[in-house]
Amino acid sequence: MSVAWTAISEDRLPVVVDAVRTPFVHSGGAYAELRNFELGAVPLRAVLARTGLAAGDIGMVTLGCVVQDVEATNVAREAMLTAGYPSLTPASTVSMAGISPEASVAGLCDMIALGRLDFAVGGGTENFSDLPIRMSRNVRKRAVKLGAARTTRDRLRIVAGLRPWDLIPEVPSSKDLTTGLTMGAACEAMAGRFGVTREAADTYAERSHHRAAAAWDAGWFDEEVVPVEAPDGRMVTQDDGIRADTSVDRLARLKPAFDPANGIITAGNASGLTDGATALLLASAGAADRRGLTARAIVRDYEFTGVADMASEMLMGPAVAIPRLLRRQGLTPADIAAFEVHEAFAVQILANQAGLADADYAQTVADLAAPIGEIPLDKLNIHGGSLALGNPFAATGGRLIATAIRRIRASGERYAVIATCAGGGLGAAMLLENPAAT
Ligand SMILES: CC(=O)SCCNC(=O)CCNC(=O)[C@H](O)C(C)(C)COP(=O)(O)OP(=O)(O)OC[C@H]1O[C@@H](n2cnc3c(N)ncnc32)[C@H](O)[C@@H]1OP(=O)(O)O
């Protein structure tokens, strides 16, 4: 369990100065010809252009990335160099499954609080359009041996050990190594454990799409989304996964995607594979103030966690992390004006809601005498969520932060909480505070 920041001077409080993202688009679509770091470079440029800071002001760039390029393993470095940041600035890539962007932001906030940095850029980039597909283990092993072989006979013997099926490439999947379950299958297990029905999942999915469509129509995302020029010259300006015309009736007709016989997860109530990138300009409150920049939110605290049971709770991270975070800060859900929680699957959101309201679960995972209860729907993802907007794994956390901050700034209220589940049975929650409301 993380320990709260307790003795940070006002000057060193980590704050978010700006948070931007690219439009999130279907994998294999508009960003298909972009490398991951090229996509990541877009918001990295934008945060500088929008805040007026020079690239040389940035002390460190850290980006999350889940599915990494074998050629550009430190994608943050390539992205910042592509964006024109000076090579003297260090950059690192963090990978913590779906909470990689939160790991990026939290690490930088710690460094800011300690006085190691004044300005930093965090976030994440994910491009599933260009997957690091590799050859099978047998091919890889023999390729290494081949390099060391001296005679033609040795080489032939090595190659002769290959079987036709060894030539089938290995494509990265969402399968968890420990449990052997894909994220979809793991979430089906959560539906059973926490009593989520197909009808409830479809109803929630419809809400996400309708809310996201309404938010785009109302111009809500205009401030947080920066356009991307695709290599073919097309300007990508909007998320492309939102289905304004979806309905519970249409969703009910879709076939289960992960368990044909008994499953309730379909293409309609799952988030799809998506490409996108986010960048957040972080600073110490004092440095931001001295440069005349508005601190949009204080990053007050965060919590990283695992789940108790990998097989039946894989994506329950929010239901563990949120209660722990609030308890440490002496807050209740009533104190939180805005919740932005990642929607990997509608079932996952609903199972987390059930977990938050379950006394036994609260006792087991957070040692709480009473559960904190479900997040009220009028506070949860009111502008839609990942089901509609898409889920480029390492970019989603930054999107949640961007939207959460804008929600509390728009309403003038004090606190927002973001939370994300992740593969590997991980979870994160973060408490953001509106400085204008304190
Ligand atoms: C921490 C985490 O985030 S864990 C989560 C990690 N992410 C994942 O595991 C990804 C999960 N999602 C997936 O794997 C895929 O999106 C899947 C398997 C669920 C679906 O993939 P696909 O079958 O390619 O979806 P596709 O977009 O083609 O939709 C299938 C059908 O459903 C329909 N459909 C999809 N969404 C909707 C909707 N909201 N309303 C109505 N119809 C819909 C499509 O029109 C399509 O219909 P068609 O076959 O008549 O053309």
Side-chain angles (χ1 to χ4, degrees):
M1 196 183 295
S2 328
V3 176
W5 288 315
T6 47
I8 306 172
S9 70
E10 290 289 315
D11 193 75
R12 299 253 39 108
L13 277 177
V15 299
V16 182
V17 173
D18 200 7
V20 295
R21 68 174 176 94
T22 67
F24 289 177
V25 307
H26 282 111
S27 295
Y31 302 153
E33 299 305 320
L34 285 176
R35 303 280 301 270
N36 204 353
F37 63 86
E38 292 171 322
L39 188 57
V42 175
L44 287 182
R45 274 189 215 104
V47 281
L48 293 184
R50 287 158 55 120
T51 55
L53 281 180
D57 291 324
I58 307 301
M60 177 92 181
V61 176
T62 304
L63 294 181
C65 184
V66 179
V67 181
Q68 299 201 14
D69 188 337
V70 283
E71 196 186 18
T73 47
N74 187 356
V75 71
R77 180 65 171 165
E78 304 307 328
M80 57 86 91
L81 291 174
T82 304
Y85 287 48
S87 56
L88 272 173
T89 307
S92 72
T93 303
V94 291
S95 195
M96 198 174 178
I99 52 173
S100 301
E102 284 86 344
S104 139
V105 170
L108 291 171
C109 287
D110 281 355
M111 291 170 87
I112 287 167
L114 281 170
R116 294 185 185 281
L117 291 170
D118 271 339
F119 294 102
V121 177
T125 182
E126 203 76 59
N127 190 336
F128 295 117
S129 296
D130 184 20
L131 288 173
I133 294 167
R134 58 181 193 172
M135 300 308 289
S136 70
R137 184 103 194 254
N138 200 19
V139 172
R140 300 199 309 268
K141 220 167 53 185
R142 285 171 189 278
V144 172
K145 283 186 183 161
L146 213 51
R150 297 228 173 102
T151 66
T152 306
R153 204 167 154 205
D154 285 347
R155 288 190 196 100
L156 286 174
R157 195 179 305 129
I158 291 164
V159 174
L162 285 172
R163 300 284 170 264
W165 50 87
D166 289 331
L167 300 177
I168 298 170
E170 289 176 358
V171 180
S173 86
S174 73
K175 196 176 271 189
D176 176 72
L177 273 185
T178 309
T179 59
L181 297 171
T182 62
M183 292 302 112
C187 205
E188 290 285 7
M190 282 164 47
R193 162 115 187 247
F194 292 93
V196 181
T197 65
R198 168 77 186 263
E199 194 187 357
D202 286 346
T203 304
Y204 186 86
E206 181 199 62
R207 171 190 189 266
S208 185
H209 282 274
H210 288 180
R211 293 289 180 117
W216 265 110
D217 286 348
W220 169 262
F221 289 112
D222 293 352
E223 189 192 320
E224 111 190 8
V225 175
V226 290
V228 177
E229 184 175 0
D232 63 6
R234 259 186 304 166
M235 288 307 284
V236 183
T237 57
Q238 287 215 346
D239 307 316
D240 71 0
I242 303 164
R243 291 173 179 250
D245 61 347
T246 199
S247 66
V248 171
D249 283 351
R250 291 180 67 177
L251 289 162
R253 290 199 285 273
L254 299 177
K255 291 194 170 53
F258 301 100
D259 176 357
N262 304 306
I264 63 169
I265 298 176
T266 68
N269 61 35
S271 61
L273 289 176
T274 319
D275 302 335
T278 49
L280 296 98
L281 184 73
L282 305 164
S284 66
D289 189 48
R290 286 188 285 279
R291 295 294 291 268
L293 295 166
T294 304
R296 289 169 191 273
I298 301 164
V299 181
R300 196 45 94 176
D301 196 3
Y302 56 76
E303 175 78 20
F304 288 94
T305 187
V307 297
D309 179 53
M310 296 280 287
S312 67
E313 300 172 17
M314 176 70 75
L315 302 177
M316 291 296 290
V320 184
I322 294 172
R324 289 181 176 184
L325 178 72
L326 295 185
R327 179 187 54 194
R328 184 169 52 244
Q329 289 291 333
L331 299 170
T332 71
D335 299 307
I336 310 303
F339 285 90
E340 285 292 323
V341 183
H342 168 46
E343 299 168 350
F345 302 92
V347 165
Q348 160 260 326
I349 281 282
L350 298 172
N352 274 273
Q353 288 278 51
L356 286 168
D358 184 291
D360 287 343
Y361 198 69
Q363 169 71 52
T364 309
V365 301
D367 200 21
L368 290 181
I372 67 167
E374 289 193 4
I375 299 168
L377 269 187
D378 61 355
K379 292 184 178 182
L380 176 65
N381 299 358
I382 61 169
H383 300 297
S386 307
L387 292 174
L389 301 168
N391 177 27
F393 298 168
T396 288
R399 176 187 68 74
L400 299 176
I401 294 171
T403 293
I405 290 173
R406 291 181 43 246
R407 281 179 61 189
I408 46 176
R409 287 185 66 79
S411 68
E413 289 166 290
R414 187 165 180 186
Y415 290 119
V417 165
I418 67 116
T420 306
C421 57
L426 295 166
M430 201 167 266
L431 178 68
L432 303 159
E433 184 175 354
N434 177 3
T438 53

